Amino acid sequence: MNTDRKALLAIVFTGLAASATLGLVSALLPGREVAEPVPDPQASRIRPSVRPFGPGEQLAYALGWNGVPCGSVRMGLKEEVKEGRKWLVLNYEVRNAEAIAWAWSYWTRGETYLDPETLLPDTSSRTSIR
């Protein structure tokens, strides 16, 4: 048998032996019970007063790097009734600035429907061009 074949057989045998040993050890060792996570009652519901901003407000950010304007981010929040249910709708738009358009072009906008009590997302849509 040539040395390449011997080396391959040694690797395969070592892998099979290691797998069998780990399987045997894991089967013989006693398992431990994992405790169920206890939900934090304070974290389960975010009250409307804790929202970062309210419906009808917009946040706008200008992004820069070393004094060069690189882009902008705009976010807005509104309330909407959809299928008989009240939602918070987060709209956003991100785009690069003209100063860097020659090197990189990016634009995206979207909206996410949030549960007004928990602020957890339900559905989201996004359009982007790069």
Side-chain angles (χ1 to χ4, degrees):
M1 194 180 297
N2 66 22
T3 56
D4 290 341
R5 195 173 274 177
K6 285 182 183 179
L8 179 62
L9 285 174
I11 291 170
V12 169
F13 178 74
T14 303
L16 290 174
S19 295
T21 303
L22 287 174
L24 183 63
V25 168
S26 66
L28 294 177
L29 287 177
R32 64 177 195 155
E33 291 186 26
V34 177
E36 289 291 320
V38 178
D40 181 2
Q42 298 295 344
S44 64
R45 292 180 100 55
I46 298 175
R47 304 311 313 158
S49 61
V50 184
R51 294 179 188 160
F53 59 104
E57 293 182 316
Q58 282 195 353
L59 300 176
Y61 298 94
L63 308 174
W65 183 66
N66 286 339
V68 177
C70 295
S72 63
V73 178
R74 183 201 50 81
M75 294 184 296
L77 191 64
K78 66 180 180 176
E79 290 181 324
E80 187 175 307
V81 177
K82 180 179 170 186
E83 298 173 359
R85 188 165 176 209
K86 194 176 196 179
W87 295 96
L88 288 174
V89 183
L90 175 69
N91 295 296
Y92 60 89
E93 182 177 25
V94 181
R95 66 177 54 230
N96 66 292
E98 290 298 319
I100 64 165
W102 61 271
W104 189 64
S105 179
Y106 182 78
W107 171 83
T108 187
R109 76 171 173 204
E111 66 181 13
T112 301
Y113 283 79
L114 305 169
D115 182 295
E117 290 294 319
T118 63
L119 298 182
L120 293 173
D122 181 67
T123 57
S124 184
S125 64
R126 179 180 64 134
T127 303
S128 62
I129 299 172
R130 183 174 164 205

